[in-house]
Amino acid sequence: MRQAQVTRNTLETQISVSLNLDGTGKAKLATGLGFLDHMLDQIARHGVMDLEVEAKGDLHIDAHHTVEDIGITLGQAFAKAIGDKKGIRRYGHAYVPLDEALSRVVIDISGRPELEYYVDFKRAMIGSFDVDLIHEFFQGFVNHALITLHIDNLRGNNAHHQAETVFKAFGRALRVAVEADPRMAGVMPSTKGSL
């Protein structure tokens, strides 16, 4: 089982993440941010991975530190859980619609952090959640998971729908990328011999 537990404690946040890449889609989430819990649940469910996140952050200031640090800690857990990367598919992509919204996510478990993020939200807030923080979450994840991640919201008029399609597509693309490829058993999916 490819799993990891990571704890991150700073003066701004205290976060613990437990991740099982070979899970069943179960999530136990307590971030203090209801909308973020809803989005993390999409990753677990559509990525078919078990995810537990407990976070206490300086929400009296705003949600920035908490959201970014959850992305960082989840990225660290992913890097630990994926192991040596031998035998995985490496690449994954998904298109996910939700009513009028449609997003595409493409992943390369490359060993190189790169985020290309193109989401033009139709409003700045989803309830009390600042949509700018979605970029911060994915940037933190990418920097510490060491993956290449392309996120494109191709259309959408409802910000909640736009965000939800992004997180669902991310989960589904990640699921494909981490899957074992039976034709590549024990083989590094790179001509360089390392990722």
Side-chain angles (χ1 to χ4, degrees), residues 45-63:
R45 183 73 49 89
H46 292 276
V48 195
M49 55 189 68
D50 296 340
L51 176 61
E52 293 185 18
V53 179
E54 185 173 349
K56 293 185 180 9
D58 54 2
L59 297 179
H60 62 285
I61 296 174
D62 72 6

Side-chain angles (χ1 to χ4, degrees), residues 70-126:
I70 289 170
I72 289 169
T73 311
L74 181 56
Q76 291 170 335
F78 176 85
K80 191 174 175 183
I82 196 67
D84 65 10
K85 304 174 191 167
K86 287 182 179 175
I88 64 168
R89 295 194 185 278
R90 178 178 169 179
Y91 299 100
H93 72 275
Y95 286 80
V96 171
L98 175 57
D99 299 341
E100 88 299 344
L102 175 66
S103 290
R104 174 185 60 217
V105 172
V106 184
I107 291 173
D108 176 9
I109 302 177
S110 61
R112 298 182 306 278
E114 177 69 31
L115 175 63
E116 295 294 326
Y117 179 89
Y118 301 96
V119 184
D120 182 18
F121 281 106
K122 299 307 178 191
R123 64 180 191 268
M125 304 293 287
I126 301 172

Side-chain angles (χ1 to χ4, degrees), residues 144-158:
H144 293 269
L146 301 178
I147 69 166
T148 299
L149 177 62
H150 288 249
I151 297 174
D152 294 276
N153 174 241
L154 303 175
R155 62 181 60 96
N157 296 316
N158 179 303

Side-chain angles (χ1 to χ4, degrees), residues 36-47:
L36 183 60
D37 286 350
H38 181 43
M39 295 300 102
L40 293 172
D41 193 27
Q42 304 303 328
I43 296 173
R45 183 73 49 89
H46 292 276

Side-chain angles (χ1 to χ4, degrees), residues 29-35 37 55-56 59 66:
L29 307 163
T31 67
L33 298 161
F35 182 74
D37 286 350
K56 293 185 180 9
L59 297 179
T66 301

